[in-house]
Amino acid sequence: MFENKDNASTSIGDLGEFGLIDHLTKNFIIKQKSTVKGIGDDAAVIACDSKKELVVSTDLLLEGVHFDLSYMPLKHLGYKAVIVNLSDIYAMNAEPQQITVSIAASNRFPVEALEELYAGIEAAAKLYNVDVVGGDTTSSTTGLLISITALGTVKKGEAVYRSGSKENDLLVVTGDLGAAYMGLQILEREKEVFKVNPNSQPDLEPYSYLVERQLKPEARKDIPNLLKELDVKPTAMIDISDGLSSEILHICKSSKVGCNLYEDKIPLDPQVISTCEEFNLDSTTIALSGGEDYELLFTVKSEDFPKIKANPHLSIIGHITDEKEGVHLISRAGTKIPIIARGWNALNNNE
Amino acid sequence: MFENKDNASTSIGDLGEFGLIDHLTKNFIIKQKSTVKGIGDDAAVIACDSKKELVVSTDLLLEGVHFDLSYMPLKHLGYKAVIVNLSDIYAMNAEPQQITVSIAASNRFPVEALEELYAGIEAAAKLYNVDVVGGDTTSSTTGLLISITALGTVKKGEAVYRSGSKENDLLVVTGDLGAAYMGLQILEREKEVFKVNPNSQPDLEPYSYLVERQLKPEARKDIPNLLKELDVKPTAMIDISDGLSSEILHICKSSKVGCNLYEDKIPLDPQVISTCEEFNLDSTTIALSGGEDYELLFTVKSEDFPKIKANPHLSIIGHITDEKEGVHLISRAGTKIPIIARGWNALNNNE
């Protein structure tokens, strides 16, 4: 009766996820003096006491949109659901401490299936040293859904936002990119093979790193500590969940800066390169748009270069420019290509 | 491939919501010293500093399970989704300060529909003075889903748990009970009428209080303050979301006590009494099992009786006994009837 009574017809996909959040929350005002940072970063920041701030992040994972149980074992799904949230906490330069876990499951899932899911949640909570302190459990009319909220703490003034990048800062990324997306391609291919011949035995060995990055990602727990050891405080930071291009654009938009990203500096695993060749895909495009790598992307002052240059965990992939210079990829051939968001967009999946 | 690979077949409905949470989280251990209270109360409690504790609660609302958009306007739904969570914070004797709001919506919902939903969220946030600090927005393959996490603070040592009731404590409830459930019955009846004759004009006037309690519930923001003014600290407290009987059993189980509840003391609005007669329903059963009243149920020491006895917001409805005496309703006729949980169980809705 109600939801269709007017003639409105703007599709939510038209705005995209970030546009939609911006649009829906534009009237929201902050009134509590304890709210240090509201909507618009990897996590909200709340004042705790004179020494400490609280960091809060939340994510929703839906079957058929964010995961496919035909190749994602439930235990891995539980593990990944936790990792996705912890990654946001590390991206604030904070230490996660607690999570709440809410699930909705249809009666297709027996208790034993949920036990598997929770075993994955427990394994991640144990490894990352966080407590599961609450949640909600309910039935759904269809499918499985997981909503996790992560809480962490950071020393007052040490939280790193998306908005602090300045011209000439260096753009740095941890680990390597594109593997989780290529892992997904491998699993999708095996699913098709399985449909045709359920007895086929897939040989995933040549793709082991890719599949692991997709099915059992890890959050960069080590990076906030590493940065402390190196005595470097990033000027801005974000985690790579939607793809490098999307995250660079977030930092540039929040920080009101431009950026030059160098194609030849983007860290790629050899399996990503060989599998991209096999699939006839451009590995740079995959790194830019693949997503789900859960690496950290950050900027540091140029004078911090000596502190980070030789670190095996870190790759310097570009530098920050004035806003009016725009956001560009500098290709191997030296051409300047504008970067536009092509990250994986959960809002377009069911259109 | 994975979720059905074993022969497991315990339905999640067999355990019930609370049994399921207990079962799935029984291995979870608390390691963070900041975790004061984990799973098992209206909210988790986290140490903040030497003077303050943080309170966190989360709830999941699904279309087709928790709400029906054929009679629930989206603006009211947004409002109610916030209230449900704030009620849990008040039930800890805490003050809510921030919420995160995650939604998943299918492409059946245009942006304008989500604007309505967010207008309701904004209205509740404004009235209850909480900031919306984050969230997630995604598509769903079917229907609408809202996941809200509420954060609040309480002076260290002032949080009230379910577990503190002692023998001879008085059992107290705020407001009146059963109206939200009867409002739902009215709306369900009008929906059937509407299906037969879409031009019928329902006269909801005689049921205005009931319908408002269902469509626009309020959380008892006033009670933590009232208790401070009266200089009463409850020994245990819970909010009434699933029905009086279910909440009494939660307190008794957590506190390891029994309880006598007096039928003639249960506060009922005249509209509940008259509408129960019209529907040929027993009003005591409705108060015990209806749910969604979002009143607060608490126990106080018997010596606090003079402080609360004449308060129009509070009804003394029973007293706490030794655990081995069990949990009973003392009927108007004086018979002792064991109380069993018959609260509305979201896990049985789609069986």
Side-chain angles (χ1 to χ4, degrees):
Chain A
M1 283 198 265
F2 291 99
E3 79 263 38
N4 290 320
K5 69 183 174 185
D6 54 4
N7 298 316
S9 61
T10 314
S11 151
I12 55 177
D14 292 350
L15 292 173
E17 180 182 347
F18 307 115
L20 181 63
I21 293 175
D22 287 351
H23 177 74
L24 293 174
T25 61
K26 66 178 187 292
N27 296 325
F28 287 8
I29 46 167
I30 296 298
K31 290 159 296 180
Q32 291 283 350
K33 63 177 196 297
S34 61
T35 305
V36 178
K37 173 76 193 175
I39 291 164
D41 217 296
D42 291 288
V45 179
I46 294 168
C48 200
D49 61 17
S50 57
K51 290 178 191 158
K52 210 168 58 177
E53 288 172 335
L54 190 86
V55 170
V56 185
S57 179
T58 188
D59 263 303
L60 208 53
L61 296 176
L62 277 81
E63 185 179 358
V65 179
H66 301 98
F67 57 87
D68 181 337
L69 289 173
S70 61
Y71 46 74
M72 181 59 125
L74 281 160
K75 191 170 175 179
H76 285 237
L77 176 63
Y79 191 92
K80 186 169 175 174
V82 175
I83 296 305
V84 168
N85 276 276
L86 300 185
S87 181
D88 284 317
I89 302 294
Y90 295 122
M92 300 302 290
N93 202 29
E95 192 68 39
Q97 299 200 312
Q98 284 91 10
I99 56 171
T100 65
V101 179
S102 294
I103 60 165
S106 73
N107 52 13
R108 188 178 113 228
F109 296 89
V111 171
E112 290 75 6
L114 300 183
E115 284 170 0
E116 279 294 295
L117 182 73
Y118 271 74
I121 290 167
E122 192 189 352
K126 204 170 169 185
L127 188 63
Y128 287 83
N129 200 29
V130 296
D131 293 344
V132 180
V133 296
D136 195 7
T137 309
T138 184
S139 61
S140 84
T141 50
T142 165
L144 179 67
L145 174 150
I146 310 171
S147 174
I148 293 186
T149 299
L151 303 166
T153 55
V154 61
K155 246 169 85 177
K156 193 175 171 180
E158 292 295 307
V160 176
Y161 299 93
R162 297 176 179 177
S163 56
S165 293
K166 299 265 181 278
E167 197 174 343
N168 298 323
D169 282 357
L170 302 173
L171 184 69
V172 184
V173 72
T174 63
D176 56 69
L177 301 175
Y181 182 82
M182 290 315 295
L184 183 64
Q185 301 311 305
I186 295 292
L187 290 166
E188 297 263 7
R189 185 173 71 179
E190 292 309 322
K191 183 183 173 181
E192 295 308 314
V193 172
F194 179 86
K195 277 184 193 164
V196 176
N197 177 9
N199 296 317
S200 72
Q201 289 291 327
D203 178 18
L204 296 178
E205 187 54 36
Y207 314 107
S208 56
Y209 179 66
L210 310 180
V211 171
E212 188 173 346
R213 290 283 277 179
Q214 172 59 224
L215 294 186
K216 194 167 172 292
E218 301 293 348
R220 295 307 304 246
K221 178 185 169 69
D222 55 325
I223 297 300
N225 289 332
L226 176 68
L227 292 169
K228 268 179 214 93
E229 280 166 29
L230 296 173
D231 190 30
V232 171
K233 189 190 166 191
T235 52
M237 187 150 60
I238 191 169
D239 78 318
I240 300 183
S241 50
D242 296 326
L244 182 60
S245 61
S246 170
E247 315 308 353
I248 289 177
L249 289 169
H250 278 308
I251 284 183
C252 288
K253 189 182 170 195
S254 292
S255 297
K256 297 189 175 66
V257 294
C259 181
N260 285 333
L261 167 70
Y262 293 87
E263 184 180 17
D264 61 343
K265 304 291 185 193
I266 297 173
L268 300 171
D269 184 85
Q271 280 190 14
V272 170
I273 297 169
S274 60
T275 311
C276 278
E277 278 169 15
E278 188 186 334
F279 277 74
N280 205 16
L281 291 167
D282 175 49
S283 58
T284 301
T285 306
I286 299 307
L288 283 170
S289 312
E292 298 200 275
D293 292 312
Y294 303 108
E295 296 293 343
L296 295 175
L297 177 73
F298 56 91
T299 56
V300 299
K301 289 186 186 129
S302 56
E303 55 261 41
D304 285 331
F305 174 70
K307 296 179 186 169
I308 58 167
K309 65 175 176 182
N311 196 295
H313 297 290
L314 308 177
S315 301
I316 300 168
I317 57 173
H319 61 86
I320 299 300
T321 64
D322 187 84
E323 186 175 18
K324 60 180 180 296
E325 292 188 39
V327 184
H328 291 93
L329 175 76
I330 313 297
S331 76
R332 283 192 189 84
T335 44
K336 252 181 132 169
I337 306 159
I339 291 178
I340 50 165
R342 286 174 298 185
W344 174 73
N345 188 340
L347 284 165
N348 285 317
N349 277 32
N350 72 338
E351 288 191 328
Chain B
M1 282 199 267
F2 291 99
E3 78 262 38
N4 291 319
K5 69 181 173 186
D6 53 4
N7 298 317
S9 61
T10 314
S11 151
I12 54 177
D14 292 349
L15 292 174
E17 180 182 349
F18 307 114
L20 182 63
I21 294 176
D22 286 351
H23 178 75
L24 293 173
T25 61
K26 66 178 187 292
N27 296 325
F28 287 8
I29 46 168
I30 297 299
K31 289 159 296 181
Q32 291 284 349
K33 64 179 194 296
S34 61
T35 304
V36 178
K37 173 75 192 176
I39 291 164
D41 218 297
D42 290 288
V45 178
I46 295 168
C48 198
D49 61 16
S50 57
K51 290 178 191 159
K52 209 166 59 178
E53 289 173 332
L54 190 87
V55 170
V56 185
S57 178
T58 189
D59 263 303
L60 208 54
L61 295 177
L62 277 81
E63 186 180 357
V65 178
H66 301 97
F67 57 87
D68 181 337
L69 289 171
S70 61
Y71 47 74
M72 181 60 128
L74 281 160
K75 191 169 174 179
H76 285 238
L77 176 63
Y79 192 91
K80 185 169 175 174
V82 175
I83 295 305
V84 169
N85 277 276
L86 300 186
S87 181
D88 283 318
I89 303 294
Y90 295 123
M92 300 301 291
N93 202 28
E95 193 68 39
Q97 299 199 315
Q98 285 91 11
I99 56 172
T100 66
V101 179
S102 295
I103 59 166
S106 72
N107 53 13
R108 187 178 114 227
F109 296 89
V111 171
E112 290 75 6
L114 299 183
E115 283 170 358
E116 280 293 295
L117 182 72
Y118 271 75
I121 291 167
E122 192 189 353
K126 204 170 169 185
L127 188 63
Y128 287 83
N129 199 30
V130 295
D131 293 345
V132 181
V133 297
D136 194 8
T137 309
T138 184
S139 61
S140 84
T141 50
T142 164
L144 179 67
L145 174 148
I146 310 170
S147 174
I148 293 187
T149 299
L151 302 167
T153 55
V154 61
K155 246 170 83 177
K156 193 175 172 181
E158 293 295 306
V160 176
Y161 300 93
R162 297 176 179 177
S163 56
S165 293
K166 298 267 182 277
E167 197 175 344
N168 297 323
D169 283 357
L170 301 172
L171 183 70
V172 185
V173 72
T174 63
D176 54 70
L177 301 175
Y181 182 83
M182 290 315 295
L184 183 64
Q185 301 312 305
I186 295 293
L187 290 165
E188 296 264 7
R189 184 173 72 180
E190 292 310 323
K191 183 183 172 183
E192 294 308 312
V193 172
F194 179 87
K195 277 183 191 165
V196 177
N197 177 10
N199 296 317
S200 72
Q201 288 292 323
D203 178 17
L204 296 178
E205 186 56 35
Y207 314 106
S208 56
Y209 178 66
L210 310 182
V211 170
E212 188 173 346
R213 290 281 278 180
Q214 172 61 224
L215 293 185
K216 194 167 172 293
E218 301 293 349
R220 295 306 306 246
K221 179 186 169 68
D222 54 327
I223 298 299
N225 289 332
L226 176 68
L227 291 170
K228 268 181 213 89
E229 281 166 29
L230 296 175
D231 189 29
V232 172
K233 188 190 167 192
T235 51
M237 187 149 61
I238 191 169
D239 78 318
I240 300 183
S241 51
D242 296 326
L244 182 59
S245 62
S246 171
E247 316 307 354
I248 288 177
L249 289 170
H250 279 308
I251 285 184
C252 288
K253 190 182 169 193
S254 291
S255 298
K256 299 190 176 65
V257 293
C259 180
N260 285 331
L261 167 70
Y262 293 87
E263 185 179 17
D264 61 343
K265 304 291 185 193
I266 298 172
L268 301 171
D269 186 83
Q271 278 189 16
V272 170
I273 296 169
S274 61
T275 311
C276 277
E277 278 169 15
E278 188 186 334
F279 278 72
N280 204 18
L281 290 167
D282 175 48
S283 57
T284 301
T285 305
I286 299 308
L288 282 171
S289 311
E292 296 200 277
D293 292 312
Y294 303 109
E295 296 293 343
L296 295 175
L297 177 73
F298 56 91
T299 56
V300 298
K301 287 185 188 130
S302 56
E303 55 261 41
D304 285 332
F305 175 69
K307 297 178 185 169
I308 58 168
K309 66 175 175 181
N311 197 294
H313 296 290
L314 308 177
S315 301
I316 300 168
I317 56 173
H319 62 85
I320 299 300
T321 63
D322 187 84
E323 187 175 19
K324 61 181 178 294
E325 291 189 38
V327 184
H328 291 93
L329 175 75
I330 313 297
S331 75
R332 283 191 189 84
T335 45
K336 251 179 132 170
I337 305 160
I339 292 179
I340 50 165
R342 283 174 301 185
W344 175 73
N345 187 340
L347 285 166
N348 285 317
N349 277 33
N350 72 337
E351 287 190 327

